[in-house]
Amino acid sequence: MKVQYPLFSQVALAQNLPEHGLKRGDIGTIVEHYPMPEGEEDGYSLERFDLPQVTLEVAASQIIPVAQWQQEEMIVRKLRQLSKSRRLQLEDYLDFLLQKEQSENVSV
């Protein structure tokens, strides 16, 4: 199922777009949605408050909800506070969780 963002909702860029001078986390407002056929990625037009009259077209995979961006940033800030040994322990645990999730998805 495709995620469709409502018109005029704010989203964050999920990746850098250096050709437009934009970076991951920059916020834009959806002003147009371009639904695509099954198997193809929807597109969106974004406008930014700090760049009047500039519209950027992006694929759905290039944007994320602002709340998700904020949550990811909070997690990164916490990671940076951990000691190196704790980060390594966390990395091992994350690998364990990912393997578990993959095995659960295979068995479904």
Side-chain angles (χ1 to χ4, degrees):
M1 183 175 140
K2 294 181 182 180
V3 173
Q4 183 177 347
Y5 298 97
L7 288 179
F8 308 112
S9 63
Q10 289 192 322
V11 293
L13 290 177
Q15 61 191 52
N16 294 336
L17 298 176
E19 65 274 17
H20 299 287
L22 301 172
K23 62 183 186 322
R24 178 174 161 76
D26 283 346
I27 306 294
T29 302
I30 293 178
V31 295
E32 191 71 45
H33 173 233
Y34 308 104
M36 300 301 283
E38 187 67 33
E40 293 184 38
E41 195 171 10
D42 283 2
Y44 294 91
S45 289
L46 303 180
E47 291 184 358
R48 295 184 53 212
F49 293 118
D50 57 343
L51 294 174
Q53 299 179 5
V54 173
T55 302
L56 175 68
E57 292 183 0
V58 297
S61 63
Q62 293 176 295
I63 55 177
I64 57 176
V66 172
Q68 179 181 339
W69 166 253
Q70 291 168 337
Q71 183 179 27
E72 289 175 7
E73 282 299 296
M74 179 190 65
I75 291 168
V76 169
R77 280 193 301 274
K78 289 178 181 180
L79 283 172
R80 289 183 179 135
Q81 295 174 12
L82 291 174
S83 67
K84 184 176 181 178
S85 64
R86 293 289 186 207
R87 283 195 306 266
L88 290 172
Q89 288 175 340
L90 181 59
E91 187 175 345
D92 288 342
Y93 183 64
L94 289 172
D95 287 340
F96 165 77
L97 289 176
L98 288 170
Q99 289 174 2
K100 186 175 179 178
E101 186 164 305
Q102 289 171 353
S103 67
E104 289 171 357
N105 288 339
V106 169
S107 63
V108 171

